[in-house]
Amino acid sequence: MKQSYKSPEQMEQEINRLGLIELLRRLLERQAVRRMEGGTLNDEQIENMGQALMKLEGKIHQLAAGFGLKPEDLNLDLGPLGNTLDK
């Protein structure tokens, strides 16, 4: 496998993208909970969604670890808008 060398700017962009993916995962998770509590999902849909979200969370943790980060390190500061993730 060929080693890929990236500039600090490229690394920062990749970490920011990963942070956005984590934000989207959390939003999807909240929406899934709302739908589940609202009774709009059947048992199979709940199971499938749960499995998919757990898989995505595991992949995000794996990618974050590749950068030497913990998932909570993916919290992006959006200045006056605040942070992307709950503290």
Side-chain angles (χ1 to χ4, degrees), residues 28-42 45-46 49:
L28 287 170
E29 191 173 75
R30 288 180 186 163
Q31 179 65 22
V33 168
R34 280 194 288 275
R35 289 185 64 194
M36 199 172 57
E37 290 173 348
T40 62
L41 298 173
N42 64 39
Q45 289 171 318
I46 292 169
M49 196 172 317

Side-chain angles (χ1 to χ4, degrees), residues 39-71:
T40 62
L41 298 173
N42 64 39
D43 289 344
E44 183 180 355
Q45 289 171 318
I46 292 169
E47 179 66 26
N48 290 341
M49 196 172 317
Q51 291 292 324
L53 288 170
M54 285 190 306
K55 220 177 195 181
L56 180 57
E57 182 178 24
K59 188 63 173 176
I60 290 169
H61 289 198
Q62 178 186 4
L63 291 169
F67 287 104
L69 301 170
K70 298 176 283 198

